[in-house]
Amino acid sequence: MGNAAARCTENTSVIVIDAGGTNFRSCLVTFDESGAAEISHLKKCSMPGIERELSKKEFFEAIAKNLDHLKNQSSRIGFCFSYAMNIMPDGDGQVIAFSKEIKAKEVVGSLVGQCLSDALVERGWTRPERIVLLNDTTAALQAGAASAAPGVKYSSYVGLILGTGMNAAYIESGKIAKIAESAVPVPPSQIVVCESGMFDKLPRSAFDVAFDQTTNTPGKYVMEKMCSGAYLGPVATLALKSAAHEGLFSAPVAEALAALPKAELFDMDRFFYGPYRTDTVLGRVIMDGTEADYDTMYTILDAVVERSARLTASIIAACVIKSGAGTSPTRPVCVLCNGTTFYKTHNLQQRLRGYLNTVLTEQRHLYFELVSVENDITLGTAIAALSQ
């Protein structure tokens, strides 16, 4: 942990909640006198609303129940809530919409911190002093800001999440019109969560459109559905099936693809890293095919990954450009990246770096550094809860 964290967190503990795309994580983060963090009481379970539609009461009761192992361990709670929300002046967050196939429509419009505080009190907790809501991109950005190596200086910070879902955040130092028009005091700089996944000014393929109609949010989260891990596999499956229908595969492979229910990004990666394995979902589909079949499948799947890399690079580039920083090679913009899709997807990270080097450094003379920090979301969330 860097000095920035130490100044606001020394000799304190905070309960941290991370509500992500699939998993719900909770733990206690304790900082010593130097600001170094220890994570304990870690628990992981399924995110409420994954399996079935939950009412507002059921949703917050489920979250409160998941926190029983941390009862009254701290008066402060940092809640990384990775869904669209309006952040209130007191640090609470009002839900705008759910993505990542979470089923809890009645929760939309609710103040998460207030509702959770009430649910905890019902379970016998002392009412928390404060529950601070933030997005995972904000947590990643703050972890990057608190974790610079000795001798390193950054001019600004960006947080990127590319996992089950996708989003980005950056620091805006200019005037933000909608804040200036409100009664809230305008800070000199402000972390802006872009809600990049909701961008919809993109040309989509027939496969994107067809898959979109099967989701809980048709017509929404267009960018996310073209980039993130929850969607790449199903979209690629539709592309493979269409290619089979149009005669691009031999008869045995076309028949196997027609019977394939769905392939996930995990299955795509297993094929990329071992095309001729026969113990994988796609390996079994193509095992009776020709060499041309293997090349065709690889090319179609790779095009889906390539598009994700390009679109993700465009989001990062936009954040760096909008920050107004990165003009000095010795003080680049720190881009903290998080997410299994970013780290594990075959060739995605390498391509993304290449595109960023072209559009930022070669074309605009802007400098950046992609970094990672262990337990970044947890630490960034804890820092946010203790620094407000």
Side-chain angles (χ1 to χ4, degrees):
M1 298 293 295
N3 291 335
R7 285 195 297 270
C8 65
T9 62
E10 58 186 31
N11 294 316
T12 52
S13 296
V14 62
I15 293 170
V16 169
I17 309 169
D18 180 6
T22 305
N23 297 313
F24 180 96
R25 299 177 180 87
S26 54
C27 65
L28 185 72
V29 179
T30 303
F31 296 91
D32 65 17
E33 64 277 359
S34 68
E38 178 186 358
I39 298 172
S40 62
H41 300 75
L42 178 64
K43 180 181 177 182
K44 183 173 77 171
C45 53
S46 295
M47 178 65 192
I50 285 283
E51 299 297 331
R52 65 179 181 87
E53 183 73 32
L54 297 181
S55 68
K56 177 179 175 179
K57 183 175 179 61
E58 289 174 326
F59 183 80
F60 287 105
E61 282 181 346
I63 292 178
K65 183 177 180 180
N66 289 341
L67 299 177
D68 279 347
H69 66 297
L70 296 167
K71 185 175 180 180
N72 295 331
Q73 292 287 315
S74 174
S75 63
R76 288 210 171 200
I77 297 175
F79 195 162
C80 180
F81 191 75
S82 304
Y83 307 93
M85 58 182 169
N86 287 318
I87 297 297
M88 303 290 106
D90 64 355
D92 206 341
Q94 183 179 40
V95 181
I96 298 172
F98 280 108
S99 58
K100 308 167 193 172
E101 304 305 287
I102 297 298
K103 306 171 188 67
K105 295 184 180 68
E106 198 175 297
V107 177
V108 174
S110 302
L111 290 171
V112 176
Q114 178 182 308
C115 292
L116 176 56
S117 182
D118 291 342
L120 291 173
V121 170
E122 287 186 9
R123 295 188 70 82
W125 286 55
T126 301
R127 185 173 295 277
E129 172 192 346
R130 186 165 192 159
I131 299 179
V132 175
L133 272 290
L134 69 160
N135 187 275
D136 50 1
T137 55
T138 304
L141 184 154
Q142 295 199 132
S147 305
V152 174
K153 290 186 178 181
Y154 294 115
S155 52
S156 192
Y157 302 89
V158 169
L160 171 80
I161 305 295
L162 184 62
T164 302
M166 68 85 56
N167 202 356
Y170 74 100
I171 299 175
E172 174 63 66
S173 297
K175 292 183 179 179
I176 301 176
K178 65 180 181 180
I179 295 180
E181 293 170 359
S182 72
V184 179
V186 181
S189 62
Q190 176 75 38
I191 295 176
V192 174
V193 178
C194 301
E195 295 301 341
S196 309
M198 300 180 75
F199 183 71
D200 61 2
K201 305 299 188 292
L202 289 166
R204 294 189 292 169
S205 70
F207 320 120
D208 295 305
V209 175
F211 172 69
D212 181 46
Q213 295 305 307
T214 70
T215 68
N216 291 331
T217 53
K220 297 180 180 179
Y221 301 99
V222 170
M223 175 79 94
E224 181 169 285
K225 290 171 182 173
M226 297 170 75
C227 288
S228 66
Y231 308 104
L232 296 185
V235 170
T237 303
L238 292 177
L240 289 175
K241 287 177 175 289
S242 179
H245 181 73
E246 294 181 14
L248 297 183
F249 289 103
S250 64
V253 176
E255 183 178 346
L257 282 170
L260 178 67
K262 182 175 66 174
E264 301 291 353
L265 179 58
F266 172 76
D267 302 311
M268 292 170 57
D269 271 328
R270 295 188 81 192
F271 176 78
F272 285 135
Y273 287 111
Y276 294 94
R277 290 178 58 175
T278 57
D279 62 340
T280 64
V281 169
L282 294 175
R284 286 191 293 271
V285 164
I286 204 169
M287 61 188 295
D288 294 325
T290 66
E291 287 297 316
D293 287 332
Y294 280 89
D295 289 347
T296 300
M297 179 174 285
Y298 191 105
T299 300
I300 291 172
L301 297 177
D302 191 54
V304 175
V305 174
E306 163 72 10
R307 184 179 69 174
S308 177
R310 286 179 177 270
L311 293 178
T312 304
S314 72
I315 292 167
I316 296 174
C319 288
V320 172
I321 293 168
K322 194 68 174 67
S323 74
T327 57
S328 166
T330 61
R331 299 184 72 235
V333 174
C334 171
V335 182
L336 193 142
C337 302
N338 177 284
T340 52
T341 302
F342 175 83
Y343 284 113
K344 294 186 177 181
T345 303
H346 183 263
N347 277 344
L348 185 146
Q349 187 178 156
Q350 297 91 320
R351 286 170 169 164
L352 188 149
R353 288 177 182 272
Y355 295 137
L356 287 174
N357 186 64
T358 298
V359 301
L360 288 177
T361 305
E362 292 181 6
Q363 295 180 1
R364 293 175 174 82
H365 304 291
L366 296 177
Y367 300 89
F368 67 95
E369 183 177 352
L370 302 187
V371 303
S372 61
V373 173
E374 189 175 4
N375 298 314
D376 50 2
I377 304 302
T378 299
L379 297 180
T381 302
I383 292 166
L386 293 172
S387 59
Q388 294 201 28

